[in-house]
Amino acid sequence: MAKTYRVGVVGFAHMHVTWLLDHFAALDNIEWVACADTVPLTPSLSDAPMTRAANIKHAEDEIGVPKTYADYAEMLDSEAFDIVIACPENARHGEVIEAIAGAGSHIITEKPPSASSADFMRAVRAAELAGVELIVNWPSTWSASTRLMKEIADSGEIGQVFQVKWRQGSIGPLPKLSEKQRGAEWWHQSAPGGGALLDYCCYGANISRWIIGESPEGVIGMTGNFASGYGDAEDNAALLVRYPSAMTILESTWSCVNHGASSRHLVYGTAGTLAVEGNGVRVFKDSGEGSLREASGLPGGRDSVAKEAIHHFETGEPLHPTLTVPINIDAMAILDAGIRSAASGKLEQCHSAIW
C-alpha cells in the first residue's frame, strides 16, 4: 500500500506558502494535519491577498487543514508529521527548522535559505542531527528554460562559462496596500530578514552556483532604499560575486515597473552567450540574432517540489541539485557576504560550512 504523508505547516509570513500548499494538495497521498503561524514583530494591518492572514485562511478554507494552533511549539509537541512546510520570516528559519527537525519531521522551506549563513547552518545542523531532510524550494527550479540553459552550458557548446548575470525584480511585495500597511509587513523590515537583496538576489545566487559548479569566494554588495521609505529594508541591491574561475552579477529591485530588456538571465562563455527567452534559451555564437531553442519541459512526475520530495523519499533518487543543502549553503554564503559588504563598503569573504 502506498504511504500517506502527514503534512503540516509552520509559518505563513512568506506568500509562497500558498503555492507550496497547492502543490501538496494536488497529490492523492497527503493527509493534512495542522498548521501554526509565527508571531510577527509588528502586527499586520491588512488581511489582503498574500498577507499572512490571507495565507492562513487559504490553508484553512481552500486546502482544508483541519487544525490551527496559536503556538507552533505546542503543535509540534501534540501532532505527528512526516513533512512540515516552513515559511516563517527569513530570519526565523533556523529557529523554526530546528524545532521541526527536533520533532522528527522532514522540512520543506521556501527560498531564501535564511537571512544569514549562521542561521541557515543552525537549520542544517539540526536536520543532520535529527536525521531528517531539509529541502529549500525555489520557484526557479521549476523553470524548464533555466534547466535548458544549464544543459547547454554543461555541454561545452559556449565554451568555458566565465560570467552569469541574473536580474530579478518587481514593484515589490504587496503593492496594493497603503504605505502604512506595507510598513507594518515584515517584508519591508530589516530585523526579520526583509528586503530586496534576500528576496531576489537569492535566485541568482542559487542558480549561478549551480551553473558555474564552484563555491564562491567573495562578494561586493551595494543596497539602497530609493522608493520604500515606509520601511527600513532596502528595495534595491546589486552583488558582484567572485568564483575561482568566473564571476556573477546579481541584481534585485522592488521599484521596477519594466526591466526594459528581452532577457534578464544571461550566461556568458568563451564561445557563446545564453539568454533565457520565454520558455526557451537563445544561443548566440556571434554578433547576430542567435537561435532560439525551446525547452522540452520538466520530467514527468517531478514537476513540482511536492512531487520531487515524495519521489525522493520513496525512491531514494537524488533531489534536483538546486534544492539540496550543499548548493544552498553556498547560495546563502553569497547573500551573507553581500549583506556584510553593503554595510562595510568592502569585498567580503564567502564563509564555508566549516567556518
Side-chain angles (χ1 to χ4, degrees):
M1 179 180 292
K3 176 180 174 67
T4 296
Y5 291 83
R6 293 172 57 83
V7 181
V9 188
V10 173
F12 289 89
H14 200 303
M15 59 187 66
H16 289 185
V17 67
T18 60
W19 301 345
L20 297 179
L21 288 165
D22 291 345
H23 287 311
F24 274 94
L27 305 182
D28 57 10
N29 59 341
I30 297 301
E31 177 188 351
W32 294 104
V33 179
C35 65
D37 196 13
T38 51
V39 179
L41 292 176
T42 304
S44 296
L45 302 178
S46 173
D47 59 0
M50 310 308 280
T51 61
R52 68 171 71 230
N55 298 339
I56 294 171
K57 185 174 176 58
H58 178 79
E60 294 171 337
D61 297 349
E62 302 299 324
I63 302 300
V65 179
K67 298 180 186 177
T68 302
Y69 283 78
D71 182 348
Y72 75 81
E74 179 186 353
M75 183 190 83
L76 293 172
D77 285 341
S78 303
E79 307 285 354
F81 301 95
D82 296 302
I83 300 168
V84 175
I85 298 166
C87 287
E89 299 87 337
N90 293 334
R92 300 187 68 178
H93 279 208
E95 164 204 336
V96 167
I97 291 170
E98 184 178 67
I100 298 169
S105 172
H106 299 302
I107 306 107
I108 296 177
T109 192
E110 184 67 4
K111 68 83 190 170
S114 184
S116 70
S117 285
D119 191 68
F120 185 54
M121 290 311 302
R122 176 184 178 182
V124 169
R125 288 166 180 147
E128 289 178 347
L129 183 64
V132 297
E133 294 272 5
L134 171 56
I135 299 171
V136 182
N137 182 58
W138 297 83
S140 48
T141 298
W142 316 110
S143 163
S145 56
T146 302
R147 295 199 189 191
L148 176 59
M149 174 178 272
K150 167 68 170 171
E151 180 183 328
I152 297 171
D154 283 353
S155 74
E157 184 176 349
I158 63 167
Q160 178 186 339
V161 172
F162 63 86
Q163 186 181 115
V164 176
K165 183 174 183 180
W166 216 262
R167 178 177 174 84
Q168 208 87 18
S170 67
I171 56 174
L174 306 171
K176 295 184 178 180
L177 301 190
S178 69
E179 290 193 355
K180 182 178 180 181
Q181 289 172 328
R182 277 180 280 175
E185 294 293 330
W186 75 272
W187 293 97
H188 294 281
Q189 301 166 4
S190 294
L197 190 157
L198 286 169
D199 189 33
Y200 279 149
C201 283
C202 66
Y203 286 100
N206 176 269
I207 292 169
S208 65
R209 166 60 180 84
W210 176 46
I211 290 175
I212 293 170
E214 300 174 342
S215 290
E217 296 180 329
V219 181
I220 296 174
M222 183 177 292
T223 62
N225 186 321
F226 304 124
S228 309
Y230 40 81
D232 68 346
E234 78 283 343
D235 60 11
N236 280 268
L239 306 181
L240 182 61
V241 186
R242 177 61 193 263
Y243 288 84
S245 63
M247 63 190 301
T248 66
I249 302 170
L250 312 179
E251 301 176 1
S252 66
T253 178
W254 277 354
S255 56
C256 179
V257 297
N258 191 304
H259 292 284
S262 59
S263 179
R264 297 170 284 121
H265 307 148
L266 301 158
V267 174
Y268 297 93
T270 54
T273 299
L274 306 177
V276 169
E277 189 174 309
N279 192 44
V281 175
R282 189 167 293 277
V283 183
F284 299 89
K285 300 291 186 65
D286 52 35
S287 59
E289 296 183 355
S291 61
L292 182 64
R293 299 185 192 173
E294 293 291 334
S296 58
L298 300 172
R302 300 179 66 177
D303 58 357
S304 75
V305 68
K307 294 178 183 178
E308 178 78 0
I310 298 300
H311 178 85
H312 169 67
F313 295 147
E314 296 194 341
T315 68
E317 292 184 23
L319 293 162
H320 189 271
T322 56
L323 307 176
T324 63
V325 164
I327 281 185
N328 282 294
I329 288 175
D330 281 348
M332 192 64 243
I334 290 171
L335 301 173
D336 186 283
I339 292 168
R340 287 184 282 114
S341 175
S344 71
K346 301 175 182 179
L347 183 146
E348 295 286 348
Q349 181 181 358
C350 291
H351 296 318
S352 68
I354 295 173
W355 183 95

